[in-house]
Each structure stands twice: as C-alpha cells, then as structure tokens.
Amino acid sequence: MTVIRATEVTKRWGATTALDRATFTIGDGITGLLGANGAGKTTLIGLVLGLHRPDGGTIEVLGRNPWTAGSEVRAKVGYAPEHDALPPDVRAHDLVRHLAEVHGLPRREATERANDVLYEVGLGEERFRPVGTMSTGQRQRVKLAQAIAHDPDIVLLDEPTNGLDPVQREQMLALIRRVGSVLDIDVVLSSHLLEEVERVSDQVLILDAGRVAGGGKMGELGEAATELDVEIAGTASQARDLVKRLAAVGAAATAEGRLVTVALESERVFDLVRDAVADGGIGIRRLERRTTSLEDVYLAADGGGTA
Amino acid sequence: MSDAVIHDRGYRPYDGPRLGQVHAVKSLTLHTLQRIFGLRRQARSKALPFIVVVLAYLPAIVFVGLSALLPKALRDATLPTYEGYYGFVSGAIILFVAFVAPEALCPDRRSRSLSLYLAALLDRTTYLVAKALAIFLTLLTVTVGPVLLLVLGLSIQNAGPDGLGELAIAVGRILAAGTSLSLFFTAVSLALSSLTDRRAVASATTIGVLIGSGIVAAVLEEALKFPDAFLLLSLNTAPYFLVNVIYGVTMGREATYEIPTLIIPLAVAAWTVAGFGFAWLRYQRLQVTR
Amino acid sequence: MNAPTVGPTVAAEHVSKWFGDVVALSDVSFEIRPGVTALLGPNGAGKSTLLRILCGLATPSRGSLRVLGSSPRDPKLYRRIGLVPQQEGLLEHLTGLAFVELAAALHGVPSPREAATRAVTKVDLDPADGRGLKAYSKGMRQRIKVAQAIVHEPEMVVLDEPLEGLDPRQRLRMIELFRELGDEGRTVLVSSHVLDEVEKFGSRVMVLAQGRMAAEGDFHSIRELMDDRPHKIRVRSDNPRAVAAALVSDGSVLGVQLGGDDSVIVDTEDAPAFRTAVARVARDEGARLLEVAPLDDDLESVFRYLVGRR
C-alpha cells in the first residue's frame, strides 16, 4: 500500500532548487532515505509534513494533500527530527502525553498511551525525570516515543542513532525494526550510515541534487557479483602465496593484506579455491561471494555530492 | 479454568477518538499557562510570576482594607476609585508583560520543540493562536482581577458605586478596559518576543521598547511641539488613554492632553493588529526542520 | 613536519581519574604510535575524560601520561597537536578561510593564509567561499574543524566524533583523509561510535569500557586473542550433511545445526583448527565449498564481547 506518492514534485528555496521534479512512492515497511547533504531529504520530510508547499508537482500522503489537509495528515504521521527537540525541563512522561494530545488524542487516552509507549521503548523509572537529565540514549528513545504515541500510520525518523554508542545503536535499530514489523507502522529512515540502513530497511530511496537517483527493494539492488572474497587466517605473504597457487591452476586472483579476491569466471573456481587452500594448509577466516553493498549502489547513484 | 491474566503494557493499535485542531489549541494553551505559572516545575520558576501578581493585587487589597478601617468621610476624601487603579500598578504590569510572552514563546524555539508542534495538528497560525490565548488569559489576571477585586470589595462595604445598576456598569467597564489592555499588551509582547529565542533578550527588549517608545513620544510632543495625538506612539501609555475613554473619565496626566476621542481606539487597534500581524509574519518564516 | 620524537607519541602508565566518588578512568595504560588509532567505547566509558587529559585540559588523579615526550600541559605542545572537539565553538562571523587562518596564526605558522588555503582545500571546501560560518551546514562545519586542526601540520591529531553530520560520500572522503595523515607519519587518534567505519580507518583500536582499557592493539590480533572463546560460523556447501558430519568427526567443532537449504551453523571453541580443517574436509567429501561466514567476528561483535565482559 502506497503511503507517500510524489509526482514531479519541485521545491525551491530562493535560487536553490531543493527538489527537482522528483517522482517516487514510499510504501510498506521500512524505507531508507539516503542522499548527500543538500540532496533534498529534509525538504522532502517538510513537504510530507505539510510544512511547505511544493512549487510544482504533487505530493500525496495517506491519500491526502499535506499542505491543504495538514492536520488530517499529521494526525497519522509521526516525526522524530534530527536535532535536539525536547524541552529540557519537562518530564518525559508529561512531554509524551502533551504531544499525543496535540496530535489529537483526548487527555485520558493520551496519558495511557504515553505510559504504554514509554514502556515499549524501554524507559522505566526514567520517564518521570526531566528530559534534560537524561542521557543521549534515553533522549533518543523519548523522541521515538513521542513520534509513535498517537499510533500514526507512518513515522519519519531523521538520524535516530545520532550520538549513540554501538550497543545503544543496536538497541535503537532493534526498536525501529520492531516499529516497522511488529507494531506495523511504516517507517521512513533518513540516515547517513549506510550499514545501518542496509541492516534495517526493506527498500531504499536515494536522492541526489533534488532528483531520485536510485533505489529499490534491498534484495534486488545491484547485479550478482562475480568475485569471491577469501580472508585467510594467516599472513600477507601466505595470501600472496595462495594467489600464486591459484594462478597456477588458471584462477585469477589478487591479494590485499590477508584478503584474496578471486575472479569467479565459473562455478568451478569454488573448487579450485578449496583445493588450493587445502593443499597449502591455509586456514579460512571467511569465504564469501562479494555482493554489491548498499555503499556501492549509493556511490554509483549519488553523482558526487554537493559541498 | 484459570482466571490469570497477562497485562500487555506495551504498544497497542489505537482506534479511539481523534480530536481536531481545536482540542490541540486548547491543549497547548493549557500547557503554556502551566509553564508560565511554573506549575510542574521547580519552585523558583513560580517565584517571579507570583510575586508580580501579588504586587498587582496589593493596592486593591490595601484599599479595601483601609476602606473598612477608615471613617466614611476620610474614606471618600482620600481613597482612589477604581478608575485610577492602573496608575498604581503600571510598573507591575510592564514587568508582567515583559515576563509572560517570552516565557510563552521563547523556550519552544530555544529547545527547538516548535518543530514537534508543527508536526502535530497545529500549524504556524494555530500555534500562535494558542500562545496568544495563553498570554491574554494570563494578563487578564492583572488587568481585570485586581480592579474587580477593588470594586467588589468596596461594594461589599457600601463604599462602591451606588446601586446595582451602577455596579453593573462599573463591572462592564472594568471588563472592557481590562480586556482591551490585555489584548493590546498580548499583541505587542507577542511581536517583540517573536524576535528572539532567548527569554532574557525578549524581556529586556519588551521593557526597552515600552519605555523607549514613551520617551520618543514625549520628546515629540513636549520638546518638538508635535500634536498631542503623537503621544499614542508611546506603547506604554496609549492603551491607558483608551481605558480612560472606556471609563468615561478624564483623570491623571492623560487628562491634560487634547486628543480627538475617535483617534484613541483607532490607534490602539492599529497597534494591536500590527503586533499580531508582525508576530504572524515572523512565524511564517521560521525554519523548523533543520 | 618536525622530526618525530623517539618512542611512542603517547605513553600512558596506570592513569586513573576520579571526580569525587566517580571513577572515570581506572588504571589505564597504553601506547599510541604514528598511524591511525581508533578509540572506542560506550557512552560514559571514559573516552572524553581520556581525550581531555591527553590535550592537557585535565590532569590524571594518579599515574602519568606523556605526549611527544612531555606532559600534556606543556605549552610548547600546542603547536604539535591538533584537536577536533565534538562541541561547537566556532566564531560565527568569520569566513571558513579566516577562521582557519586565525587558528594557523595562533599556532605560529609562518604563512597563515597559504597554510589555511591548503588546509581548507584538503577538506574539500572552497577557500574563496565568502560566507560566514553561520551559513555553513553541519557537514561543512565539521570539515572546517578538521581544517583548523591540521593547518599547522601537527604531529598528532585528535578527533572526537569527526564524522557526525557528514553524508556517506563526505564520510568516505574524511576517512581517506585520516589515512593520508596516518601515512604521512602523523599520529591520528579518532574517537568514534560507528564501528563499520572504524574498520576502514586502519586496524589499531583501543577499547575503553567502564573506565578501563578492555583491549588495545591491532584489531586482527585482538580478534585472534579471542580465538579461544566459542565461535559460530556458517558454512554453505552443496552437500551440507556430509560436510557437517565430517567436521564433527574431525574433532574441530563442538556441534552443528543444519540451517536449512545449503547451510550449516557450526559451533567451535577451537577456531584456528576449524579454519584449517574446513577446506580439507570439504575436499575429502567432494563437496563444493560455497561460503564460510563467521557470525560473530566483526568489530561489532568483538566490541560487544569486550564491553560486556564485566
């Protein structure tokens, strides 16, 4: 089901064109929104929220025009901005309740849901403390909580793992996955960290200079690879040695440190590698067909970026 | 058959009532009122508003008390009537005006939580409506409250207006005057506070502009001999001219000037509209998503 | 660049730091040498405290820390170190070039304007950009911060979360810059939370957890030190059952789980033995070996293991 549909949408800020006849749809699940700084992601989020009016084209969110039907649309959209947006002297629970009310929930229901949602994001006793006394990790969770408290159909998360250490980041990504799957809220995740987008998203949308430069379902990006990575449990010279052995049986390979990359001309190469490794008594740390990573797709799509 | 139950306190889909913008505006107005009076925060944020409010009510309390104590003749001779009340508290009113609007507007910009409101049911206009309403209602506590207290307190002691009819007229005038005063100062302070995200700067600017415009008007009128009507340029005295018109009196310093009666409400209305318009324009242009 | 000091760039011995009852750093010892070193650790583990001590902004409560042979508070060190702090602190009204030029002058660089132009160009910004820093985006501000830290060609550069706010292409470029600086013989210390990228900086890491040094050194070596803990590895082949059975009887694995389709997941406590066995076993069974994928071998898992151990 399409949640956001944009057709030739254009938005200018003075002399700069932030979005230039962009056409795309965003549907079910978790969509990663990628692009260089200045590529139009923030403007896109602003248009979805009905904060600005497009200069050309149309954008439809949940079937309505967000500029003219702003409140109806925003009642079903959640937003967690990239910047710090939480008033420091308000208690987390009061804040989430108040924002749920401002999203249309009556007071009693807002209070109950604030409780539920804070529990869902893993905040226990901390919820009664002023937001300013919380750690970065807790504040990011409060931001997520206020975005989903009113049970939106879609939630826009802008760099939700900013400032989080690796363990906290993992927890936030798990939460986001849960929001997208178990809680059944569609997610637009805008992030500069390709690895985490790769891990969490069902599909991606890549913007470059205001236009759609690429995107698609995660499993379908890029072509099948024709190289085999072999990371050996040995020294760089053993790696070079392996390259020679492979060359002797007709398999082209290169070595960089402990990583040997073999051209996969045919499926037989797997066996050649296996035998060369076994003959040399070399240990295999990792043997993997090289896949096109999201990074490769992104760098190909993004035309060089802007300043 | 067990009657054990597991309570899932986590997230559930919501299919309850969803209210509209009016509810959102009410909610923000209430939240802002609580913020202004320091409720749900530490004690020290309650200090300033309560002190100023007390200062605004103090003369009323004192006069009502004195009225009870003094013999009738002395009372009628010395105690001021309600029409001149603002003369005693204009300082407190300036202080309050300079405190309230910054407290209502600036923190949301400083903490950048304005973006969260605009991502909810409010837009820039309804957001300002909610804030203006909160400021207006707050100012009413010092523009209407104390004067009403005085009139009613005196009436109870039979020292107030003669008869129920006169009393009703007096109350009506007090409500009108207090409301116009409150509306005027809401507009002006809203405009000045929309200029910055720092409360202290907004407060200082408000006091500065209120007093400064008074000085400019005085210079024009006295030193440069401009027509008296130019006194309406003084943001701190213009609304009081209107109060006098509403009360139908000529008293205080304001009485010695010659200003055509029609110009006064026009000028006050102009300032009020200009103030709201300015604030509205400022907020239309604010960048919130970055 | 000045002739390098003999010995490590930074040498810390039993450094502890406490604030009242709170112990921020506890008995931390390490050496940092030229090249790129990544400083990792959970929020609150003591990284910021360590960086502050390193830059002379705080002193250890106990132990000693020497930078380039001197105490970190030695004023002469100012010219030999560049710092990219996490917080903002830029002078908004200056242009980018002017800001970096100012930094150059403060560090005693002989031709500040030339040095500043070089540094600004090195971070992919335009020296002729006449806008004030106020107009700069987050990514541009980050890069200016790096420019002011390298303008005086310091021997050591300390960067606290330098990639924040940068888009993917800018991040890759910045990482390339770190490696260039490291290849020039400078000592680059980068504090970062994004482990997938840390793997690209180079392989030296220092992991702080709860005020203690949980691990330091070459990442691959740390990984190898952890070889005696249980590992999970996925093996895909065209005859998974035979390969699984043979691995078990070979003795290098504890257990196997058939993973559906063509994979088995192997549990082993002797990773080195498994690694040399797998190809041999596959060949003996005549099975085509398609994939050997360790499931907990990346920096992320190593980090989690190191940090979670206490």
Side-chain angles (χ1 to χ4, degrees):
Chain A
M1 187 203 50
T2 302
V3 182
I4 301 176
R5 181 191 304 277
T7 314
E8 302 271 306
V9 91
T10 303
K11 179 66 189 167
R12 283 175 219 107
W13 299 112
T16 320
T17 305
L19 282 175
D20 184 9
R21 282 166 296 156
T23 300
F24 59 86
T25 57
I26 292 179
D28 278 334
I30 303 178
T31 303
L33 180 60
L34 306 172
N37 283 333
K41 294 181 302 179
T42 311
T43 303
L44 174 61
I45 290 178
L47 288 177
V48 168
L49 288 171
L51 298 180
H52 331 296
R53 172 194 205 160
D55 292 315
T58 58
I59 184 160
E60 224 179 63
V61 177
L62 300 167
R64 325 281 297 266
N65 178 341
W67 175 252
T68 52
S71 339
E72 281 102 88
V73 166
R74 291 192 294 266
K76 302 306 238 82
V77 176
Y79 174 48
E82 178 200 350
H83 55 257
D84 288 330
L86 308 176
D89 46 6
V90 181
R91 288 182 214 125
H93 179 266
D94 287 335
L95 182 64
V96 176
R97 176 189 48 75
H98 173 57
L99 289 171
E101 275 192 60
V102 184
H103 269 104
L105 266 53
R107 188 175 189 95
R108 204 187 39 130
E109 283 84 338
T111 311
E112 281 172 14
R113 286 199 62 88
N115 251 321
D116 293 343
V117 110
L118 284 166
Y119 174 78
E120 185 73 44
V121 301
L123 288 174
E125 282 305 299
E126 306 84 44
R127 71 180 71 185
F128 299 114
R129 284 171 34 198
V131 166
T133 63
M134 293 179 152
S135 69
T136 313
Q138 290 167 331
R139 279 203 293 269
Q140 294 288 60
R141 290 175 198 239
V142 174
K143 248 202 262 183
L144 180 63
Q146 65 80 33
I148 61 177
H150 53 288
D151 193 23
D153 288 340
I154 183 166
V155 78
L156 311 169
L157 304 179
D158 200 348
E159 307 275 355
T161 59
N162 243 6
L164 299 183
D165 69 43
V167 178
Q168 293 169 329
R169 181 186 303 271
E170 239 343 278
Q171 291 167 341
M172 177 59 78
L173 291 176
L175 258 178
I176 294 172
R177 252 184 248 114
R178 199 177 148 74
V179 167
S181 54
V182 175
L183 304 189
D184 201 29
I185 302 176
D186 293 325
V187 176
V188 174
L189 172 64
S190 176
S191 171
H192 282 324
L193 303 180
L194 297 178
E195 304 79 9
E196 71 180 29
V197 170
E198 205 165 14
R199 262 192 286 182
V200 153
S201 309
D202 301 312
Q203 59 265 338
V204 295
L205 178 65
I206 304 175
L207 291 183
D208 175 40
R211 322 204 88 210
V212 174
K217 287 204 177 330
M218 278 308 296
E220 296 165 7
L221 295 169
E223 323 84 33
T226 50
E227 283 176 322
L228 185 64
D229 275 346
V230 185
E231 194 184 330
I232 64 165
T235 61
S237 78
Q238 279 178 301
R240 287 192 293 273
D241 193 57
L242 178 60
V243 168
K244 287 201 203 89
R245 283 173 197 273
L246 287 169
V249 292
T254 54
E256 192 183 315
R258 285 169 245 215
L259 180 65
V260 173
T261 306
V262 190
L264 254 187
E265 269 143 42
S266 70
E267 299 290 297
R268 222 174 57 88
V269 172
F270 283 110
D271 300 331
L272 295 176
V273 168
R274 177 200 67 191
D275 295 342
V277 165
D279 284 338
I282 304 171
I284 302 177
R285 256 196 185 272
R286 187 172 61 92
L287 183 123
E288 241 175 346
R289 195 172 191 140
R290 191 174 266 221
T291 49
T292 321
S293 70
L294 182 58
E295 184 175 284
D296 300 327
V297 173
Y298 174 86
L299 290 176
D302 160 270
T306 48
Chain B
M1 176 71 175
S2 132
D3 53 5
V5 165
I6 295 179
H7 295 282
D8 178 33
R9 285 168 52 210
Y11 194 92
R12 264 161 302 181
Y14 178 75
D15 44 13
R18 285 183 190 267
L19 310 175
Q21 284 200 73
V22 171
H23 167 81
V25 168
K26 277 197 283 193
S27 179
L28 181 57
T29 305
L30 188 63
H31 180 89
T32 307
L33 281 171
Q34 286 176 336
R35 197 204 162 77
I36 290 170
F37 286 102
L39 305 177
R40 314 195 106 159
R41 286 158 70 203
Q42 331 94 304
R44 70 156 183 258
S45 34
K46 302 177 178 47
L48 188 72
F50 278 108
I51 288 175
V52 177
V53 166
V54 162
L55 282 178
Y57 279 83
L58 206 52
I61 296 170
V62 166
F63 296 154
V64 169
L66 281 179
S67 153
L69 295 172
L70 292 178
K72 185 169 182 346
L74 252 179
R75 189 167 52 187
D76 291 343
T78 56
L79 286 187
T81 53
Y82 71 87
E83 291 97 336
Y85 190 81
Y86 293 128
F88 293 96
V89 294
S90 62
I93 290 180
I94 291 192
L95 265 182
F96 204 46
V97 166
F99 164 77
V100 172
E103 193 66 38
L105 279 192
C106 300
D108 282 353
R109 282 174 62 194
R110 192 110 176 90
S111 66
R112 305 169 76 186
S113 51
L114 179 58
S115 56
L116 299 179
Y117 286 116
L118 299 184
L121 301 192
L122 301 169
D123 58 34
R124 291 162 199 257
T125 304
T126 46
Y127 172 85
L128 278 180
V129 165
K131 292 293 177 175
L133 196 54
I135 297 171
F136 174 73
L137 291 173
T138 305
L139 291 183
L140 282 182
T141 60
V142 299
T143 58
V144 166
V147 195
L148 266 186
L149 177 66
L150 181 62
V151 152
L152 295 175
L154 291 179
S155 297
I156 289 174
Q157 299 165 38
N158 283 320
D162 287 321
L164 220 48
E166 288 294 311
L167 181 60
I169 292 176
V171 168
R173 284 181 176 159
I174 289 169
L175 289 174
T179 302
S180 76
L181 207 54
S182 198
L183 198 63
F184 175 88
F185 280 124
T186 298
V188 168
S189 61
L190 194 75
L192 293 173
S193 299
S194 72
L195 291 171
T196 173
D197 61 357
R198 302 184 107 105
R199 277 174 294 178
V201 172
S203 292
T205 307
T206 306
I207 293 181
V209 167
L210 286 179
I211 295 181
S213 64
I215 296 175
V216 165
V219 162
L220 288 179
E221 193 264 349
E222 284 183 28
L224 300 181
K225 306 294 176 198
F226 274 41
D228 287 354
F230 275 80
L231 285 172
L232 292 169
L233 283 178
S234 162
L235 288 169
N236 193 29
T237 47
Y240 295 109
F241 279 110
L242 182 58
V243 165
N244 281 352
V245 168
I246 292 174
Y247 286 160
V249 297
T250 49
M251 63 189 315
R253 278 179 67 241
E254 285 91 16
T256 62
Y257 302 114
E258 287 169 23
I259 304 178
T261 316
L262 209 50
I263 300 225
I264 293 175
L266 282 178
V268 171
W271 278 123
T272 306
V273 167
F276 283 128
F278 183 84
W280 185 83
L281 272 174
R282 279 285 302 173
Y283 269 70
Q284 288 302 109
R285 297 195 183 179
L286 277 184
Q287 170 75 276
V288 289
T289 42
R290 205 162 274 289
Chain C
M1 201 178 69
N2 305 327
T5 331
V6 176
T9 311
V10 179
E13 272 178 58
H14 303 289
V15 169
S16 294
K17 176 75 180 170
W18 45 82
F19 300 99
D21 280 339
V22 178
V23 179
L25 288 173
S26 172
D27 196 31
V28 170
S29 302
F30 59 85
E31 281 182 358
I32 305 180
R33 292 172 184 281
V36 183
T37 303
L39 177 62
L40 315 175
N43 283 336
K47 295 196 311 285
S48 313
T49 309
L50 180 59
L51 292 178
R52 286 174 63 82
I53 294 179
L54 225 131
C55 299
L57 299 171
T59 43
S61 308
R62 200 162 57 189
S64 84
L65 192 138
R66 313 288 292 167
V67 177
L68 294 166
S70 327
S71 148
R73 308 196 89 162
D74 183 349
K76 292 200 286 295
L77 271 184
Y78 184 59
R79 301 188 175 190
R80 302 166 74 190
I81 301 184
L83 170 64
V84 180
Q86 198 174 7
Q87 312 89 310
E88 300 287 311
L90 313 180
L91 299 168
E92 308 281 316
H93 57 283
L94 295 177
T95 65
L97 182 67
F99 177 72
V100 179
E101 200 180 324
L102 179 62
L106 286 175
H107 281 104
V109 174
S111 338
R113 170 144 295 204
E114 275 172 42
T117 309
R118 268 201 309 274
V120 170
T121 313
K122 198 155 193 187
V123 297
D124 296 332
L125 285 173
D126 179 11
D129 190 336
R131 291 176 293 174
L133 286 170
K134 211 170 21 180
Y136 276 29
S137 68
K138 173 114 198 200
M140 292 167 77
R141 299 165 87 107
Q142 280 301 101
R143 286 181 281 164
I144 280 291
K145 276 199 257 177
V146 174
Q148 64 82 31
I150 62 174
V151 70
H152 51 295
E153 311 259 331
E155 288 164 65
M156 176 157 109
V157 186
V158 178
L159 307 110
D160 197 352
E161 297 287 349
L163 303 179
E164 215 177 286
L166 299 183
D167 67 45
R169 196 174 283 275
Q170 291 165 342
R171 298 176 94 95
L172 286 175
R173 178 66 196 104
M174 191 63 74
I175 291 173
E176 216 180 289
L177 179 61
F178 300 156
R179 297 180 73 146
E180 277 167 34
L181 293 171
D183 291 339
E184 282 168 19
R186 299 180 211 279
T187 304
V188 181
L189 180 64
V190 184
S191 171
S192 174
H193 277 327
V194 185
L195 298 183
D196 317 283
E197 285 172 336
V198 168
E199 290 185 27
K200 294 187 184 120
F201 293 167
S203 54
R204 290 199 64 82
V205 299
M206 284 183 2
V207 183
L208 271 184
Q210 289 166 326
R212 290 178 184 275
M213 186 69 69
E216 57 149 338
D218 182 84
F219 163 60
H220 297 292
S221 314
I222 295 176
R223 237 181 12 175
E224 269 150 39
L225 280 178
M226 292 163 60
D227 277 346
D228 58 346
R229 65 173 170 94
H231 283 243
K232 267 186 156 44
I233 304 160
R234 180 174 62 225
V235 179
R236 282 177 54 230
S237 64
D238 64 356
N239 193 348
R241 285 173 186 272
V243 169
L247 281 171
V248 169
S249 58
D250 177 75
S252 53
V253 312
L254 283 180
V256 293
Q257 270 172 276
L258 289 174
D261 58 303
D262 52 1
S263 66
V264 293
I265 298 186
V266 149
D267 273 301
T268 174
E269 266 183 353
D270 188 358
F274 164 80
R275 289 178 196 131
T276 37
V278 64
R280 176 174 40 84
V281 159
R283 181 174 59 178
D284 292 344
E285 297 299 314
R288 171 167 291 168
L289 191 58
L290 296 170
E291 181 183 293
V292 176
L295 298 180
D296 46 14
D297 209 30
D298 59 344
L299 182 53
E300 177 101 32
S301 313
V302 168
F303 178 86
R304 225 192 324 237
Y305 169 78
L306 291 173
V307 154
R309 246 166 22 132
R310 292 160 195 288

